[in-house]
Amino acid sequence: MKPRWITLTTDFGLDDWFVGTMKGVIGAICPGAHIVDLTHGVPPGDVQAGAFALASAYRYFPRGTVHLAVVDPGVGSDRPALAVKAREHLFVGPDNGLLSIAIEQLGKAEIRQITNRRWMLEKVSQTFHGRDIFAPVAAHLSAGKRFASVGPVARAQVALNLPRPREGAEEISGAVVYVDRYGNAITNIRNEGFQGPGRAADVFLRSRRISRVHDCYQSVPVGKPVCVPGSAGFLEIAVNQGNAARQLRLKVGSAVAVRW
Amino acid sequence: MKPRWITLTTDFGLDDWFVGTMKGVIGAICPGAHIVDLTHGVPPGDVQAGAFALASAYRYFPRGTVHLAVVDPGVGSDRPALAVKAREHLFVGPDNGLLSIAIEQLGKAEIRQITNRRWMLEKVSQTFHGRDIFAPVAAHLSAGKRFASVGPVARAQVALNLPRPREGAEEISGAVVYVDRYGNAITNIRNEGFQGPGRAADVFLRSRRISRVHDCYQSVPVGKPVCVPGSAGFLEIAVNQGNAARQLRLKVGSAVAVRW
Amino acid sequence: MKPRWITLTTDFGLDDWFVGTMKGVIGAICPGAHIVDLTHGVPPGDVQAGAFALASAYRYFPRGTVHLAVVDPGVGSDRPALAVKAREHLFVGPDNGLLSIAIEQLGKAEIRQITNRRWMLEKVSQTFHGRDIFAPVAAHLSAGKRFASVGPVARAQVALNLPRPREGAEEISGAVVYVDRYGNAITNIRNEGFQGPGRAADVFLRSRRISRVHDCYQSVPVGKPVCVPGSAGFLEIAVNQGNAARQLRLKVGSAVAVRW
């Protein structure tokens, strides 16, 4: 049997033992699992950032990978726990929007509520469902248990209310949805919207022109702003070898427009 | 043969090559090992924080896991190096208290001093025993070598002088022993001490009442303090979707009391 | 077949999904790969720090390990991508000096330019070659594909212009080349240069004497500066249980001398 992959996406950080403990729980159930950290640096409670990270990465993993995501400020309340199967990808996480961007991208998905008590740890705390519910469920799925056994078919109750870009004849207007380690600002404007023949476009922050759309960071001198089709599939605003978020005062929500 | 698991707990951080190098040493001896980071974010030299992290997590790992722990400000001095076997868990680390909380929890343990020169790297530095002694020893144990070969039976010389809670008729008084990424303060007061029928209790910081003991963070409005039976097995003081350490000025050592 | 090891060294940090995505790409091609993080904490764009980390760690890994390194401020420009084979170690990364310290240490190396389009992802972005080129190439090499298929034999075009120590009759003068998490300053003066019988030496920062060369951090009282043969093979300046970089105002480039 092929090695099975499990990814982890959380806001737990790496300074405590929480991530390691989830891996132990997985290993005790499915010792052959390949466990990979997607990221544990999601800002505490920032469901949207977690959802964006997961949606940007899951498709690069082997088919059959189980993606375990826990950004869960509502842990212990009655928010449901979900398991999702879509195009041979599996997802496990709280029903708070964290899985919603990936689910929307995947289209047809089988969504189930996690209720199978036998797949959870014997003692379930009210403060660490990552360890007591989500990790063991992911491990059982990774070990090849039947998906339908996780619980009854359900509907996701929460979807993120993400800003959507508006497309006009001569402009697409959108917003920054994520700022990465380098200070690059990722927008919600799809690369396909502004690429293609004869589509030389300029990018604006409000009324201020940043640059035209270039191919790569190196297309402008060091220290200058540059807009590129980003690797996550969306327009990205960067500074060549600099920090665009700092230099241009960009943050999540900043208005961005592409104009022809 | 089942895949073997090795956990790593250190204060090395992740910015240098130290953790990666230990993994390389392990891989060169035991290439099938599953190596899992417990945490490398222990504050430099903070043996107690490392001991608490290890003791909170080890029991969730598969039987036979080797737990390698290195928070070792005395590296290069004559402090002994220990290997410990207890209830099918194995531990490797310096004799400075780092393993002591886990050992105490496990009860009966076989403790040996690491002296087997053939299990160490050929050249042993005086500044990086994690790479030169602990990692290869853990790998040899993980590869199934006989535990008794590590060295002679010994006694741990150092135990942490942890504050112990005092239990009275109407009060348990204790202290904060760990503050996690979210600002949740974990105390040394066991959940069993204040849970159970008819035991509705209030938690105090000195004379200031924080809250009664609730089930989960969500039991109080957002931004309010809440005390819960914590996932590590001890009373935890939190703020619903906030940072209790900051808001209530809690730190390791802060006095906490549960009263009926 | 033995499990194959792949190490990752980048400046991507761990807060975004970039590292996880590379692992997914590797897993989709070579699901049995053992992927190990060397470090992702290289300061953004700091090729020299990345080169030093890689060169300090690679030799501890099993033979046949593929070392994937991406500190790549020139991504998207026409800088070549390299694959290197030397003494059963394999390296993959940009031709910007990142691999140069390791290559120089290894001596005879077979260097090839990465041009095999079939080993890259179908769609290659201009901003994330780690995911689209380096990770899949590393995975194909790890899966046992023929090294020569990666592309034509080439020469590395960029080597780091590292400061070299000068050796006199009574003095070796060098410089700090790396400061680690503990504030220990690693120099470019080899341990072999100042060790050995009758070589009791003193270490100076400019004209200020720091200490003589000791065996370990514990050789001086807590809080005092100490110079030791470092675990990376070079003279290291530390403070026993303290932070030498802060206390002695050391940084990369600071002049250091060993005198007899």
Side-chain angles (χ1 to χ4, degrees):
Chain A
M1 201 175 72
K2 271 193 184 177
R4 296 168 177 290
W5 285 61
I6 297 179
T7 75
L8 305 184
T9 303
T10 77
D11 63 347
F12 294 170
L14 294 168
D15 285 347
D16 306 307
W17 58 87
F18 308 142
V19 170
T21 305
M22 292 205 302
K23 294 179 180 176
V25 169
I26 291 169
I29 294 167
C30 183
H34 274 241
I35 306 171
V36 172
D37 300 311
L38 211 51
T39 177
H40 302 289
V42 176
D46 189 341
V47 173
Q48 180 177 324
F52 196 78
L54 181 61
S56 300
Y58 74 85
R59 76 178 61 90
Y60 291 95
F61 283 84
R63 290 179 172 212
T65 296
V66 180
H67 302 280
L68 164 53
V70 191
V71 179
D72 193 15
V75 60
S77 71
D78 56 2
R79 65 103 192 83
L82 299 180
V84 177
K85 188 177 190 177
R87 299 200 209 161
E88 306 195 46
H89 287 279
L90 294 159
F91 298 85
V92 169
D95 185 357
N96 63 6
L98 183 59
L99 309 178
S100 65
I101 306 180
I103 292 175
E104 190 186 321
Q105 286 178 6
L106 284 159
K108 196 154 172 265
E110 181 181 346
I111 302 178
R112 290 179 177 270
Q113 188 175 348
I114 297 172
T115 59
N116 185 344
R117 195 65 189 71
R118 293 192 314 278
W119 286 11
M120 305 176 191
L121 291 199
E122 196 175 314
K123 189 175 167 182
V124 173
S125 75
Q126 293 304 303
T127 57
F128 194 1
H129 286 184
R131 178 190 69 189
D132 303 335
I133 296 178
F134 295 115
V137 165
H140 282 291
L141 290 174
S142 190
K145 294 265 181 72
R146 211 166 56 96
F147 181 68
S149 302
V150 75
V153 169
R155 293 171 62 98
Q157 296 181 3
V158 179
L160 294 176
N161 196 5
L162 287 177
R164 300 203 181 253
R166 280 169 305 171
E167 301 203 22
E170 301 190 328
E171 175 179 305
I172 306 175
S173 60
V176 172
V177 293
Y178 191 93
V179 174
D180 75 15
R181 158 174 171 95
Y182 300 93
N184 298 337
I186 302 174
T187 73
N188 59 353
I189 301 174
R190 295 204 156 277
N191 291 340
E192 293 76 22
F194 57 84
Q195 284 185 310
R199 303 222 74 182
D202 291 308
V203 178
F204 291 78
L205 291 177
R206 298 178 180 279
S207 60
R208 179 180 169 201
R209 185 179 170 280
I210 299 302
S211 87
R212 69 175 184 79
V213 177
H214 289 279
D215 287 336
C216 74
Y217 305 136
Q218 307 290 317
S219 302
V220 301
V222 169
K224 292 292 177 192
V226 58
C227 300
V228 297
S231 63
F234 298 93
L235 177 72
E236 193 177 308
I237 303 171
V239 163
N240 186 11
Q241 295 181 42
N243 187 304
R246 217 146 47 203
Q247 190 166 323
L248 304 172
R249 302 193 186 186
L250 293 166
K251 55 184 185 185
V252 171
S254 297
V256 176
V258 180
R259 294 189 190 129
W260 285 273
Chain B
M1 201 174 71
K2 271 194 185 176
R4 297 170 177 286
W5 285 61
I6 297 180
T7 76
L8 305 184
T9 303
T10 77
D11 63 349
F12 294 172
L14 293 168
D15 285 348
D16 306 308
W17 57 87
F18 309 142
V19 171
T21 304
M22 291 206 303
K23 293 179 182 177
V25 169
I26 291 169
I29 294 167
C30 183
H34 274 242
I35 307 171
V36 172
D37 299 310
L38 211 51
T39 177
H40 302 289
V42 175
D46 189 341
V47 173
Q48 180 177 324
F52 196 77
L54 181 61
S56 301
Y58 75 86
R59 75 177 61 90
Y60 292 95
F61 283 84
R63 288 177 173 213
T65 297
V66 180
H67 302 279
L68 164 53
V70 192
V71 179
D72 193 16
V75 61
S77 71
D78 56 1
R79 64 102 192 86
L82 299 180
V84 178
K85 188 176 190 176
R87 298 200 209 162
E88 305 196 45
H89 288 279
L90 294 159
F91 298 85
V92 170
D95 185 357
N96 63 5
L98 183 59
L99 310 179
S100 64
I101 306 181
I103 293 174
E104 190 186 322
Q105 286 178 8
L106 283 158
K108 196 156 174 262
E110 181 180 346
I111 302 178
R112 289 180 178 271
Q113 188 174 348
I114 297 172
T115 59
N116 184 343
R117 195 62 189 73
R118 292 192 315 278
W119 286 12
M120 305 177 191
L121 291 199
E122 197 175 314
K123 189 174 167 184
V124 173
S125 75
Q126 292 305 303
T127 58
F128 194 2
H129 286 184
R131 178 191 69 191
D132 303 335
I133 296 177
F134 296 115
V137 165
H140 282 291
L141 290 174
S142 190
K145 295 264 182 72
R146 211 165 57 96
F147 181 68
S149 302
V150 75
V153 169
R155 294 171 61 98
Q157 296 181 4
V158 180
L160 294 176
N161 196 6
L162 287 178
R164 302 204 180 250
R166 279 168 308 169
E167 302 203 21
E170 301 191 329
E171 176 178 304
I172 306 175
S173 60
V176 172
V177 293
Y178 192 91
V179 174
D180 75 15
R181 156 173 172 97
Y182 301 93
N184 299 337
I186 301 173
T187 72
N188 59 353
I189 301 175
R190 294 205 157 277
N191 291 340
E192 293 77 23
F194 57 85
Q195 284 184 309
R199 304 221 73 183
D202 291 308
V203 179
F204 291 77
L205 292 177
R206 298 178 180 279
S207 60
R208 179 179 168 202
R209 185 179 170 278
I210 299 302
S211 86
R212 69 175 183 81
V213 177
H214 289 279
D215 286 336
C216 74
Y217 304 136
Q218 306 290 317
S219 302
V220 301
V222 169
K224 293 292 178 193
V226 58
C227 299
V228 297
S231 63
F234 299 93
L235 177 73
E236 193 177 308
I237 303 170
V239 163
N240 186 11
Q241 295 181 41
N243 187 304
R246 219 148 43 205
Q247 191 166 320
L248 305 172
R249 303 193 186 186
L250 293 166
K251 55 184 185 185
V252 171
S254 296
V256 176
V258 180
R259 293 187 192 132
W260 286 273
Chain C
M1 200 174 73
K2 270 194 186 176
R4 296 168 176 289
W5 285 61
I6 297 180
T7 75
L8 305 184
T9 303
T10 77
D11 63 349
F12 294 171
L14 293 168
D15 285 347
D16 306 307
W17 56 88
F18 308 142
V19 170
T21 304
M22 291 206 302
K23 293 179 181 177
V25 169
I26 291 168
I29 294 167
C30 184
H34 274 241
I35 307 171
V36 172
D37 299 310
L38 211 51
T39 176
H40 302 288
V42 175
D46 189 340
V47 172
Q48 180 178 323
F52 196 77
L54 181 61
S56 300
Y58 75 85
R59 75 178 61 90
Y60 292 95
F61 282 84
R63 288 179 173 213
T65 296
V66 180
H67 302 279
L68 164 53
V70 191
V71 179
D72 193 16
V75 60
S77 71
D78 56 1
R79 64 102 192 84
L82 299 180
V84 177
K85 188 176 190 176
R87 298 200 210 162
E88 305 195 46
H89 286 279
L90 294 160
F91 298 85
V92 169
D95 184 356
N96 64 5
L98 184 59
L99 309 178
S100 64
I101 305 180
I103 293 175
E104 191 186 321
Q105 286 179 5
L106 283 158
K108 195 151 174 264
E110 180 180 347
I111 301 177
R112 290 180 177 270
Q113 188 174 349
I114 297 171
T115 59
N116 185 344
R117 195 62 189 72
R118 293 192 314 279
W119 286 11
M120 305 176 191
L121 291 199
E122 197 175 314
K123 189 175 168 183
V124 173
S125 75
Q126 293 305 302
T127 58
F128 194 1
H129 286 184
R131 178 191 69 190
D132 302 335
I133 296 177
F134 295 115
V137 165
H140 282 291
L141 290 174
S142 190
K145 295 265 182 71
R146 211 165 57 95
F147 181 69
S149 302
V150 75
V153 169
R155 293 171 62 98
Q157 296 181 5
V158 179
L160 293 177
N161 196 6
L162 287 179
R164 302 203 180 253
R166 279 169 307 169
E167 302 203 21
E170 301 191 328
E171 175 178 304
I172 306 176
S173 60
V176 172
V177 293
Y178 191 92
V179 174
D180 74 15
R181 156 174 173 96
Y182 300 93
N184 298 337
I186 302 173
T187 73
N188 59 353
I189 301 175
R190 296 203 156 277
N191 291 339
E192 293 77 22
F194 57 84
Q195 284 183 308
R199 302 224 74 182
D202 291 309
V203 179
F204 291 78
L205 290 178
R206 298 179 179 281
S207 61
R208 180 180 168 201
R209 187 179 169 280
I210 299 301
S211 87
R212 69 175 184 81
V213 177
H214 289 280
D215 286 336
C216 74
Y217 304 137
Q218 307 290 318
S219 303
V220 301
V222 169
K224 292 293 178 192
V226 58
C227 299
V228 297
S231 62
F234 298 94
L235 177 72
E236 194 177 309
I237 303 170
V239 163
N240 186 10
Q241 295 181 42
N243 186 304
R246 217 146 46 203
Q247 190 166 322
L248 305 172
R249 302 194 187 186
L250 293 166
K251 55 184 186 185
V252 171
S254 296
V256 177
V258 179
R259 294 191 191 129
W260 286 272

